[in-house]
Every structure is written in structure tokens, then in C-alpha cells.
Amino acid sequence: MRTRNAVARDYYGILGVSREASDDEIKRAYRKLARQFHPDVNPDPEAQEKFKDINAAYEVLSDDRKRQIVDLGGDPLAPGGGGGAGGPGGPGGAGPFVGFQDIMDAFFGGAAGGARGPRPRTRPGADAILRLELDLHETAFGVEAPITVDTAVLCTTCSGAGTAAGTHLATCEACAGRGEVQSVQRTFLGQVVSARPCTVCQGYGTTIPHPCPTCAGDGRVRTRRSLTVKIPAGVEDGMRIRLAQQGEVGPGGGTAGDLYVEIHERPHDVYSRKGDDLHCRVTVPMTAAALGTRLTIKTLDSEETVDVKAGTQPASTLRLRARGVPHLRGTGRGDLYVHLDVRTPTKLDPDQEKMLRDFAKTRGEEVAELSKQGGFFSRMRDAFNGHA
Ligand SMILES: [Zn+2]
Ligand SMILES: [Zn+2]
């Protein structure tokens, strides 16, 4: 361990500070390196060696007397190097291993040694989330939906106290009610006080000598609860509705958390939804598109008669204002878009075909006649069907 004592070690170099560095700069440099190389945060074996050097450098440079020896060319940690019988933690920083959090606490005046006190037995409960599937009609117009939740409720036997009838909490003997046990380490940083939660009482400072037989001391019991949730009109897929304090009751009967109901909208057979607008497709024959027609459209909550103008082109859209989903929190509704699929007839009997050809002729539209046998497309079709 002490093989390097022949040559004075470069303590400034180890911390990466100049010989003129202030106490503050040395402290900052050490803290930064400790974050990087402390074995609690860096499992690399080389890091452990490096961390020992960093500790040694800090031990020396943070101590005016030892730093002076370094500045005179000596090594205060070397045997007979003028450092005396080692500072706190023994020479070379090889003393008790100080935990990373304790180092940080020592620098920042963290919780260790401070008055943390026992943790309360009564704590707020957790939030819960529940998925609710609804039809488009329900999300559009709102619904009162019955739901069932598995949750924790207050134990009625002990009203949350956790103690059996007629008994009380007892002060923990192991920590005298403080909820934590402190240990003092003497290290090169000076005295480092670390506090750990008391394992006997789990940090509560009290124990329950006679737990409530219903909840075993937890103050709450698990149960299945039914309630009704009011879904407002216009909610959307993925939205969450918050039911204040309908979540789990906390340990020791603490305030219940919130329950979130997440809306999942089932896809609709006819309508697809984009925001508050709805879209649907309606097929109209080519003749109706050409001549114009009147359609009856079933909306979410009504029947509407709409006119398809003569000469309507394929992929045209009709818009029915305010026949979509009502806006959430507000007035008005989205629109309903009716997309028209103009259908070309596929099977014509000879009379129909002749009429269409005559019709084309009167319009001066040239229609080349495909030969019954052969022809590119029928050959393709035969090839697909396996007739070579
Ligand atoms: Zn109980
Ligand atoms: Zn205790």
C-alpha cells in the first residue's frame, strides 16, 4: 500500500487543481470526482483505486497543515513524512469507507444528522387508473357508466388506526421513537453522521403490539367497489376523467388517491371519427351520380335527406353541418362528411350494353370494342385463373 512513498505524490494533479486552488475549488473538484469514481456509483475496480487516490488528495489538500508539507515538497501521508499519526480516517484515506450518499450529505448538509424524525404511519393513497370501453354513441352524447374497481378502502374495524380494539401503538424501543438510528464515522471528512431508518419499526418510531385482526395493522383493506361515472358528451379516445379521492385509501387510513377513468372508444361500423367530425361512405350508382338523386342518411341521432347533384363526380363529399360529435365543454358539434363512392356497373346484359354504346355514340365518346376472345385483359384474367 505504501510503496509510493519514495516520491511525493502529485496531490494537486490527482484532483486536477492548480497549486493556487482555493479551499472551495478543492472541495468542488473532490465532489465532482467522487460523483464519478465512488464505488457506490462506479463498479469498475480501477475506479476504486482511483477513488482512494482522490480521497488521499482531498485529505491532504483540505488540511492547511498537510497542504503546507506538500507545498514544501514533502508527503504528509508517507510514514515519517511529517504528517504525524494520521488524521481522521487514518493515513492515506484508507480509513472507514464512507458511503457516496454520506459524502454528498456531508457537503450539502443533507438529511443525515438532521431532524428527519419518524415517518408518519398515515400516508396519502395511490392514484388508480381504469380503462373504460365506450361506443361512439356514448362518447358523443355522454353516459352514466357503471364501473367496478379493485381498490383499498378504510378498515372499518380499526378506522385506519391499525391497532386491535382497546390497544395502542407503542414507542419503538430500538430507536426510542426517532424512527432512525444514527451512526457516526470518523473519516478524513471529519465526523460523518449517517442516519438509517430503524429496521425494528421500519422508520415509524412506533410499533403495533396488537395489530387489528382485519387489516393486520395496515389500516385499510382491499375490496371490489362499484360506482357510477358520469361521462360528459364529446369525450375522445384516450381522454382521462379524474374522480377525486376515488383511488386507493392510503396506509393508516390516509387520504385516498384519485381514480382516473381512461376512455377507449370502440370503432364504429359506419362512422370513423376525426376529432369531432365524423366520416362515412355511401355508394351511389353511376346513373344516380349522373342524373342526380336524393339520399336518406342516418346520422348518429337523426335521419337527414340530402341531394346528390346531377353530374356528381367519383370521390365527391357531402358535408352535413353539425351532425358530428358535440364539442366537449362548449356548444356546437362537429360535421358529418359523406364520401360518395360512384359505382360503375360491372355486369351488363346485351340490351344494357347496347344502350350504353348508343348513349356513348350520341355524346361522341369513342369506345373501342374489346374482342370477345383474346384481348389483353381477358388473357391476363385467364392467366390468373389458370386457363392458359
Ligand atoms: Zn384494521
Ligand atoms: Zn424503531
Side-chain angles (χ1 to χ4, degrees):
M1 189 63 206
R2 305 256 71 85
T3 49
R4 280 172 287 193
N5 57 5
V7 182
R9 295 162 72 190
D10 177 14
Y11 293 115
Y12 289 103
I14 291 169
L15 287 190
V17 296
S18 75
R19 300 186 77 85
E20 289 77 40
S22 66
D23 287 350
D24 222 38
E25 284 170 313
I26 287 166
K27 208 176 215 183
R28 271 205 304 274
Y30 173 73
R31 203 167 62 197
K32 189 166 161 241
L33 291 168
R35 277 183 196 284
Q36 218 177 327
F37 294 104
H38 192 287
D40 284 359
V41 291
N42 190 335
D44 191 345
E46 272 181 41
Q48 194 165 337
E49 280 308 306
K50 181 124 192 177
F51 185 61
K52 279 184 194 160
D53 289 343
I54 294 162
N55 275 351
Y58 183 71
E59 177 186 340
V60 168
L61 298 183
S62 63
D63 181 316
D64 284 346
R65 197 171 48 91
K66 290 179 186 167
R67 186 172 174 179
Q68 210 173 6
I69 294 166
V70 173
D71 289 344
L72 293 171
D75 187 344
L77 297 185
F97 208 62
V98 184
F100 178 68
Q101 197 50 52
D102 292 332
I103 288 177
M104 293 301 136
D105 287 349
F107 275 120
F108 293 113
R116 247 187 317 200
R119 63 184 182 128
R121 281 195 176 271
T122 303
R123 296 195 306 281
D127 292 341
I129 185 161
L130 184 107
R131 187 188 156 105
L132 179 66
E133 291 218 354
L134 295 174
D135 290 329
L136 174 60
H137 203 273
E138 295 170 320
T139 56
F141 300 114
V143 66
E144 295 205 350
I147 56 172
T148 313
V149 279
D150 287 314
T151 187
V153 296
L154 190 72
C155 172
T156 49
T157 309
C158 64
S159 305
T163 48
T167 69
H168 299 280
L169 297 174
T171 302
C172 174
E173 286 173 12
C175 63
R178 281 192 297 270
E180 59 186 24
V181 277
Q182 296 190 338
S183 60
V184 179
Q185 278 180 298
R186 291 180 59 80
T187 75
F188 61 93
L189 292 170
Q191 282 196 356
V192 172
V193 182
S194 24
R196 301 274 178 270
C198 170
T199 49
V200 175
C201 62
Q202 282 88 47
Y204 294 123
T206 53
T207 57
I208 304 178
H210 306 284
C212 163
T214 310
C215 64
D218 195 29
R220 53 184 182 163
V221 285
R222 297 213 68 86
T223 188
R224 175 164 289 196
R225 211 153 61 87
S226 297
L227 57 157
T228 305
V229 50
K230 202 171 174 333
I231 307 292
V235 292
E236 247 182 284
D237 191 73
M239 274 184 183
R240 289 179 178 183
I241 292 171
R242 175 171 164 265
L243 303 179
Q245 295 193 14
Q246 297 288 347
E248 300 205 336
V249 161
T255 323
D258 297 334
L259 173 65
Y260 290 89
V261 176
E262 190 174 271
I263 307 292
H264 288 263
E265 187 182 274
R266 293 189 195 101
H268 193 273
D269 290 342
V270 176
Y271 306 108
S272 62
R273 179 174 175 180
K274 289 196 180 87
D276 287 340
D277 292 335
L278 296 175
H279 295 257
C280 69
R281 311 195 75 86
V282 171
T283 303
V284 288
M286 177 187 77
T287 46
L291 300 169
T293 189
R294 181 161 289 173
L295 295 177
T296 303
I297 304 283
K298 254 178 93 83
T299 74
L300 272 185
D301 55 338
S302 64
E303 268 189 7
E304 306 287 326
T305 309
V306 289
D307 288 345
V308 176
K309 285 205 281 293
T312 290
Q313 298 299 312
S316 298
T317 302
L318 302 172
R319 177 179 179 191
L320 280 66
R321 286 186 188 276
R323 302 303 346 150
V325 175
H327 298 313
L328 181 69
R329 285 185 286 273
T331 50
R333 298 172 63 163
D335 300 330
L336 171 61
Y337 291 88
V338 180
H339 300 270
L340 298 176
D341 282 336
V342 175
R343 194 57 57 89
T344 305
T346 48
K347 281 181 183 129
L348 297 172
D349 65 27
D351 284 350
Q352 292 167 340
E353 185 181 337
K354 184 172 182 308
M355 276 189 274
L356 262 186
R357 288 198 182 281
D358 291 345
F359 172 74
K361 215 171 283 170
T362 62
R363 292 182 56 85
E365 291 166 357
E366 207 172 301
V367 182
E369 196 161 348
L370 295 174
S371 123
K372 295 283 184 224
Q373 309 90 348
F376 178 69
F377 287 106
S378 70
R379 277 206 305 279
M380 283 264 287
R381 189 189 56 222
D382 288 347
F384 275 123
N385 294 337
H387 319 294

